[in-house]
């Protein structure tokens, strides 16, 4: 079951805010930070940002391969959580709501673009840190694709 996410974010850790429909009405970060909560972004400006975001584009281009190849339980979720990229509630929701490795990776990939400006780089770093050859090859591919996108006119 997935809930719409409040697009406000913490200026300390890029936490996405409260999840509508959850039992908690708190919009505090899972790390207990007291960062200020920024105002919500309008859907029109969010849409134009997503179209121009090379990281989002690369994630979408590699979505099927990433979803079928990345094992998020193999260090990735905990790495992203410990680096304040994803909230505890998102980490726990991925673990409890998804029953297969592929569905866990899919949920993470769906949420990652809304996890802040550093989320893509932290995701790549998590793949590298997991020390599996599949994850390391995917990390290199993602970074090469971003580099190629940036060099294209």
């Amino acid at each position: 079951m997935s809930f719409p996410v409040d697009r406000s974010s913490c200026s300390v850790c890029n936490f996405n805010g409260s999840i509508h429909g959850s039992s908690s009405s708190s919009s505090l970060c899972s790390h207990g930070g007291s960062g200020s909560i920024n105002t919500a972004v309008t859907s029109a400006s969010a849409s134009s940002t997503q179209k121009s975001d090379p990281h989002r584009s690369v994630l979408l281009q590699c979505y099927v391969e990433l979803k079928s190849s990345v094992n998020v339980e193999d260090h990735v979720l905990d790495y992203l959580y410990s680096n304040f990229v994803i909230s505890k509630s998102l980490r726990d929701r991925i673990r409890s709501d998804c029953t297969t490795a592929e569905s866990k990776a899919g949920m993470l990939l769906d949420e990652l673009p809304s996890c802040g400006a550093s989320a893509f780089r932290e995701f790549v770093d998590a793949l590298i840190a997991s020390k599996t050859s599949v994850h390391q090859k995917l990390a290199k591919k993602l970074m090469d694709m971003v580099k190629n996108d940036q060099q294209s006119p």
Side-chain angles (χ1 to χ4, degrees):
M1 178 174 209
S2 96
F3 300 105
V5 176
D6 179 353
R7 298 293 182 209
S8 57
S9 64
C10 171
S11 61
V12 173
C13 69
N14 295 323
F15 175 62
N16 290 330
S18 63
I19 298 174
H20 297 291
S22 68
S23 59
S24 170
S25 62
S26 170
S27 60
L28 293 177
C29 310
S30 61
H31 72 281
S34 59
S36 62
I37 301 297
N38 301 327
T39 56
V41 183
T42 65
S43 60
S45 65
S47 176
S48 65
T49 301
Q50 291 170 349
K51 290 177 184 173
S52 64
D53 183 5
H55 297 151
R56 179 174 168 72
S57 174
V58 167
L59 285 175
L60 289 173
Q61 290 172 36
C62 297
Y63 186 85
V64 173
E65 181 179 10
L66 289 168
K67 187 175 173 186
S68 65
S69 301
V70 173
N71 180 356
V72 298
E73 285 293 342
D74 180 27
H75 183 75
V76 174
L77 283 178
D78 289 332
Y79 184 96
L80 294 173
Y81 171 66
S82 68
N83 285 287
F84 307 109
V85 176
I86 63 172
S87 66
K88 182 180 185 308
S89 64
L90 177 57
R91 184 193 66 177
D92 293 347
R93 194 165 37 110
I94 290 171
R95 286 184 170 153
S96 66
D97 291 358
C98 302
T99 57
T100 65
E102 191 169 309
S103 64
K104 290 176 185 189
M107 181 182 268
L108 177 62
L109 292 169
D110 291 342
E111 297 289 340
L112 204 58
S114 64
C115 290
S118 66
F120 178 84
R121 181 63 212 185
E122 293 287 351
F123 175 66
V124 171
D125 289 347
L127 293 176
I128 293 167
S130 74
K131 298 188 177 172
T132 66
S133 61
V134 170
H135 286 182
Q136 293 196 356
K137 287 177 187 175
L138 287 169
K140 181 177 178 353
K141 179 178 181 175
L142 292 172
M143 292 310 294
D144 288 346
M145 289 178 73
V146 167
K147 184 188 286 186
N148 291 338
D149 278 357
Q150 291 173 345
Q151 292 173 353
S152 298

